[in-house]
Amino acid sequence: MEIKVCIGSACHLKGSYDVIKKLQAYITKHQLDQTVTLKSSFCLGKCSDAVSIQVDTDDVISMTPENVENFMNQLVKKVK
Ligand code: FES
């Protein structure tokens, strides 16, 4: 699974770096390095929903650093 985090200017301003840090911390903590690849991406086209992320080819969704843990818990449940 690949998670792309937008680092375009709108998302950057809204904290994409923090989202990436939180995702990375989650992946490390839960030993998901083999399952989840984290990538940064240029504008995903949903700047008004920044920070935008995309899992594989799913819809682009809006993420905040505070929501990362919850989101990843749900995602991991789906994968297992
Ligand atoms: S800058 Fe992130 S979706 Fe456009």
Side-chain angles (χ1 to χ4, degrees), residues 6-12 41-52 60:
C6 177
I7 52 164
S9 43
C11 293
H12 177 74
S41 159
F42 292 114
C43 181
L44 291 169
K46 295 246 179 152
C47 312
S48 55
D49 293 338
V51 175
S52 298
V60 175

Side-chain angles (χ1 to χ4, degrees), residues 1 5 7 15 19 26 33 37 39 44 55 67-68 72 76:
M1 175 191 306
V5 181
I7 52 164
V19 170
Y26 188 100
D33 309 69
T37 309
K39 288 205 168 159
L44 291 169
V55 179
N67 282 345
V68 165
M72 287 302 289
V76 167

Side-chain angles (χ1 to χ4, degrees), residues 1-5 24 27 32-40 54 56:
M1 175 191 306
E2 183 178 283
I3 302 178
K4 285 191 285 238
V5 181
Q24 190 59 64
I27 289 166
L32 296 169
D33 309 69
Q34 305 295 320
T35 322
V36 182
T37 309
L38 199 55
K39 288 205 168 159
S40 49
Q54 186 179 32
D56 293 330

